[in-house]
């Protein structure tokens, strides 16, 4: 949620305008989830020898799926995959804007619709759509006129090599 708020604040000076277009707000959340997957990698141990991406692997190998890198694959997400672009259209038909952030296959996150909501389609009704908890939390914060704190700056979490925020001060009305 904090990553999404930071991306929105960096992308627009008028974040509360997103309240007029909640489907776009959800796309902002999904685009941020793509850029900042909570688990940057997924580990697998093969149960039997198999070939993955032209490489033979055995039960003695650890297979690391780099979700962070996959989510920035230009073949899937376009020429500027590092950029935050909630209007991005994804070229590969089976891929959502949030990429592999919720995993894939039989072990795909069972909480994805709860937290991420359902991805919108061109005919989606914005009044009955399932936006997901992260989007709804940010919507509520924006309704309370959340804005970046005027004097306190966000700090990264230095206790981890992962890309996380340690503190992210905001304020809710003009100082
Ligand atoms: C933004 C929030 C979340 C993210 C980014 C996320 C991400 C993921 C990822 C990447 C996996 C797959 C791990 C793998 O393949 O090794 C996973 C699995 C899982 N997630 Fe989530 N998750 C989120 C929220 C939730 C919530 C809210 C719940 C439950 C209410 C949940 C329940 C699960 C379960 C049970 C699995 C294991 C599924 C299985 O192994 O069959 N997750 N999640």
């Amino acid at each position: 949620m904090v990553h999404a708020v930071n991306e929105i604040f960096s992308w627009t000076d008028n974040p509360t305008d997103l309240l007029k277009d909640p489907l776009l707000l959800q796309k902002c959340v999904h685009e941020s989830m793509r850029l900042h997957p909570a688990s940057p990698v997924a580990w697998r141990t093969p149960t039997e020898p198999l070939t993955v991406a032209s490489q033979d692997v055995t039960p003695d190998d650890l297979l690391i799926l780099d979700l962070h890198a996959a989510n920035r694959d230009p073949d899937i997400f376009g020429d500027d995959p590092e950029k935050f672009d909630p209007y991005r259209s994804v070229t590969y038909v089976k891929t959502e804007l949030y990429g592999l952030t919720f995993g894939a296959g039989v072990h795909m996150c069972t909480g994805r619709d709860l937290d991420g909501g359902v991805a919108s389609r061109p005919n989606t009704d914005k009044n009955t759509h399932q936006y997901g908890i992260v989007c709804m939390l940010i919507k509520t914060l924006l309704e309370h006129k959340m804005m970046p704190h005027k004097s306190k700056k966000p700090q990264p979490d230095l206790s981890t090599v992962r890309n996380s925020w340690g503190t992210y001060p905001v304020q809710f009305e003009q100082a």
Side-chain angles (χ1 to χ4, degrees), residues 34 70-78 81 88 90 95-97 99:
R34 179 183 72 81
N71 278 2
R72 293 162 187 248
D73 183 342
D75 287 343
I76 307 292
F77 296 102
R88 179 181 303 283
V90 181
T95 306
E96 298 295 355
L97 190 54

Side-chain angles (χ1 to χ4, degrees), residues 117-136:
V118 177
S120 65
R121 299 287 179 254
N123 60 351
T124 293
D125 180 348
K126 69 175 183 177
N127 297 312
T128 56
H129 185 57
Q130 184 178 338
Y131 290 96
I133 290 171
V134 177
C135 182
M136 296 305 284

Side-chain angles (χ1 to χ4, degrees), residues 77-152:
F77 296 102
D79 289 337
D80 52 359
E82 308 287 330
K83 189 178 163 195
F84 175 82
D85 176 9
Y87 294 111
R88 179 181 303 283
S89 67
V90 181
T91 50
Y92 188 60
V93 69
K94 284 186 180 169
T95 306
E96 298 295 355
L97 190 54
Y98 51 67
L100 292 181
T101 289
F102 292 104
V106 290
H107 289 292
M108 190 172 186
C109 179
T110 51
R112 65 187 182 278
D113 289 356
L114 189 65
D115 267 8
V118 177
S120 65
R121 299 287 179 254
N123 60 351
T124 293
D125 180 348
K126 69 175 183 177
N127 297 312
T128 56
H129 185 57
Q130 184 178 338
Y131 290 96
I133 290 171
V134 177
C135 182
M136 296 305 284
L137 282 169
I138 296 174
K139 177 172 173 283
T140 302
L141 292 167
L142 291 175
E143 283 166 354
H144 286 79
K145 299 189 170 46
M146 173 182 63
M147 64 187 83
H149 198 278
K150 297 284 184 211
S151 55
K152 295 180 188 161

Side-chain angles (χ1 to χ4, degrees), residues 3 16 57 65 67-68 83 94 108 122 125 132 135 147 157:
H3 280 305
T16 51
V57 289
L65 311 173
L67 309 182
H68 182 272
K83 189 178 163 195
K94 284 186 180 169
M108 190 172 186
D125 180 348
C135 182
M147 64 187 83
D157 182 354

